Amino acid sequence: MMFTVSMFVRMLDMTIVTVALPAISRDYHVDTVSAGVVVVSYLLGLVIGIPAANWCGDRWGTKQVFVLGLVVFTLTSVACGVAQNLPQLMIFRLFQGLSGGLFGPVVMAMLVRTFPPEERIKASRVMTIPIAAAPLIGSVLGGFIADSLSWRWIFYINLPIGVAATLFALFFLDDDGVRARNPFDVLGFVYAAGGLTLLMYGLNKSVTEGWTSALVLGCVVGGVVLLGLLVFTELRAAHPLLDLRVFGNHIFRISSGIILMITAFNAAYNFVFPLLYQEVFGRSALRVGIDIGPAAIGAIAGAQVAVKMYHRLGPRRHLLVSLTASFVGLALMALIDVDTQRWLVWLIMLYTGAVSAIAYNAAQTTSFATLTPHQVGVASSLFSTATQTGAALGVSLLSTVLAGLGTTTDGGAPDLSTYQMGFVITSGLAIVALLLTLRVRDSEAAGTLESKPEKESVADANPAP
């Protein structure tokens, strides 16, 4: 229940804002691509908060961290609603994401520990519901609010949700009783937070400044250097904030890379599609929300199919089939134009949502296949970091592509080909995931497969009188 609530709240606040970006850009008198920093800053906050989540959960307990994260998330949501300019909104969104990053990994670690490996693919059916339902509700609700009310209400609606979730956690969530006294790895946190911040900020500023800008180059290079120092430091620390030694586990390393690519292409097409529909086709925000909704319905349906596919095909073939299908769906999006029938758009979105969810569930299940109970907590933080980093990279990459190619023609009209190229590049991320899948070994994830019951012997079936 706590995992469902936390993931729903976090995903809702990402997707609901994407649909409202044009309204935000008009209010603040900036272009829509530049307003994308509102999405990136939230994702960046998640990435910064996640590494510290496991340490906080071990130190103060899961319940306390969960409640603290919800309270701060709710308060910063209200702050976002009253922001007077884009820089203020960006800062409040950063802290909103930071608080959201606190409560996700600790609950995920509890979930992984609760279910044995062979049951985790089944548990993923439930876990997928909030991840898929939030974009559906967020896109439609965000479109309605942007068209009928002020965009600020997309943040104010978090107030009743946050209060209800906090009260539920206070009364019904048990304290796990686990307490650890390991010192906080300040240096590791500074390197992780600083490196990711500089890298993501540099990617985002490349949209308006260009890749030759000293600011962009300085941020990107500085981010890479800090992340390099993070690796060097964490591998030698006695109590690392991010125990990167877990990446020595082959199946966890490969599956995390696949998850990064899946979340990147999901975030990318969810970022481009609303812009295409509103900026090029002139559709309303509500229409965008309704037309992107079938992707979420497909994801929920795909999660239910994934269980049988996984046990029948095995992890490797499951991922190969579903990622190939994801590539096809993303490539089809590049063919959408103003004359495309609405039912066909719905069908493409439904299909793409289903096959990407099937791939995600398999990669998530294989990630923790051979980890010890002690490694699960650390791995949950790293896994969540990979997930949110992938989403941030997907949005930043597509923002850069749209700005680099130009979203208007020489005559000032919206350029459809730029958005179509964005979908083509998004499909390329699925190819990267496919290449990583070639390194998946079914033998390493054998523990996640259901063991077939042995047939009764004749003697057992027909006992002697």
Side-chain angles (χ1 to χ4, degrees):
M1 180 63 182
M2 288 299 97
F3 181 89
T4 301
V5 171
S6 63
M7 289 304 298
F8 180 81
V9 170
R10 286 167 53 181
M11 293 298 296
L12 178 70
D13 226 68
M14 181 170 65
T15 55
I16 198 173
V17 172
T18 302
V19 179
L21 279 182
I24 294 173
S25 66
R26 287 193 297 270
D27 199 13
Y28 287 149
H29 306 293
V30 298
D31 61 89
T32 307
V33 175
S34 297
V37 70
V38 176
V39 177
V40 175
S41 59
Y42 178 74
L43 294 172
L44 181 58
L46 288 172
V47 171
I48 295 174
I50 286 170
N54 183 61
W55 183 88
C56 293
D58 288 343
R59 188 65 178 262
W60 294 299
T62 301
K63 178 177 180 177
Q64 287 74 7
V65 174
F66 185 80
V67 170
L68 175 64
L70 277 176
V71 170
V72 177
F73 186 92
T74 304
L75 293 176
T76 51
S77 295
V78 176
C80 287
V82 300
Q84 297 302 302
N85 51 54
L86 188 60
Q88 284 184 16
L89 181 58
M90 181 185 69
I91 293 172
F92 292 142
R93 283 281 284 173
L94 180 69
F95 281 98
Q96 187 187 39
L98 193 105
S99 59
L102 282 178
F103 53 70
V106 289
V107 181
M108 184 176 182
M110 291 174 61
L111 196 69
V112 173
R113 291 185 180 120
T114 300
F115 291 92
E118 67 274 11
E119 295 291 329
R120 287 173 191 163
I121 187 67
K122 294 180 180 179
S124 68
R125 289 189 300 184
V126 179
M127 294 159 60
T128 302
I129 292 176
I131 298 174
L136 173 60
I137 296 173
S139 57
V140 175
L141 187 59
F144 172 78
I145 290 174
D147 286 345
S148 306
L149 304 169
S150 167
W151 59 264
R152 298 179 185 276
W153 281 96
I154 65 177
F155 297 109
Y156 293 149
I157 62 172
N158 284 336
L159 182 59
I161 297 174
V163 170
T166 301
L167 292 174
F168 186 92
L170 285 171
F171 287 104
F172 296 104
L173 183 64
D174 294 328
D175 188 353
D176 56 15
V178 177
R179 297 291 185 274
R181 296 299 177 186
N182 294 333
F184 185 71
D185 181 12
V186 177
L187 194 59
F189 180 77
V190 170
Y191 285 153
L196 290 169
T197 300
L198 286 176
L199 185 61
M200 297 304 168
Y201 183 77
L203 289 173
N204 184 259
K205 291 300 290 184
S206 68
V207 174
T208 55
E209 302 292 332
W211 282 101
T212 57
S213 164
L215 173 64
V216 171
L217 291 175
C219 287
V220 172
V221 172
V224 171
V225 170
L226 286 178
L227 291 177
L229 290 173
L230 172 69
V231 175
F232 180 84
T233 302
E234 298 300 90
L235 290 177
R236 290 161 176 76
H239 302 289
L241 183 68
L242 291 174
D243 191 353
L244 301 180
R245 298 177 186 88
V246 176
F247 282 119
N249 183 292
H250 179 267
I251 192 67
F252 177 77
R253 182 173 67 251
I254 298 301
S255 296
S256 295
I258 295 172
I259 282 290
L260 188 145
M261 288 295 107
I262 292 174
T263 52
F265 69 64
N266 276 330
Y269 86 73
N270 276 290
F271 176 73
V272 175
F273 186 85
L275 297 181
L276 168 68
Y277 253 48
Q278 294 183 81
E279 299 297 307
V280 181
F281 299 163
R283 307 286 195 246
S284 68
L286 179 58
R287 169 73 180 269
V288 174
I290 294 173
D291 286 357
I292 204 173
I297 298 174
I300 295 173
Q304 316 312 308
V305 176
V307 178
K308 291 185 177 179
M309 278 187 61
Y310 187 84
H311 292 303
R312 181 171 297 179
L313 298 178
R316 180 186 171 94
R317 283 186 295 174
H318 180 124
L319 285 166
L320 287 173
V321 170
S322 55
L323 286 170
T324 300
S326 296
F327 166 77
V328 173
L330 295 169
L332 288 174
M333 287 187 185
L335 303 178
I336 296 174
D337 58 30
V338 70
D339 296 321
T340 303
Q341 294 294 317
R342 196 175 187 184
W343 66 266
L344 184 56
V345 174
W346 288 357
L347 189 61
I348 292 173
M349 300 302 291
L350 183 74
Y351 166 82
T352 305
V355 294
S356 62
I358 292 172
Y360 182 92
N361 285 1
Q364 180 176 258
T365 301
T366 58
S367 295
F368 299 90
T370 58
L371 296 179
T372 65
H374 173 71
Q375 294 175 315
V376 166
V378 175
S380 295
S381 291
L382 292 173
F383 182 87
S384 296
T385 300
T387 301
Q388 300 305 328
T389 300
L393 285 174
V395 174
S396 297
L397 173 63
L398 267 294
S399 295
T400 302
V401 169
L402 295 182
L405 296 178
T407 56
T408 58
T409 63
D410 293 337
D415 191 349
L416 172 62
S417 63
T418 294
Y419 294 91
Q420 291 177 326
M421 180 56 67
F423 287 122
V424 171
I425 292 175
T426 300
S427 67
L429 298 174
I431 295 178
V432 176
L434 270 170
L435 295 176
L436 289 172
T437 301
L438 295 176
R439 300 192 61 192
V440 172
R441 305 166 189 163
D442 281 349
S443 58
E444 290 183 317
T448 63
L449 297 172
E450 287 181 338
S451 56
K452 296 180 180 179
E454 296 182 4
K455 295 181 179 180
E456 287 185 313
S457 65
V458 175
D460 291 332
N462 301 287

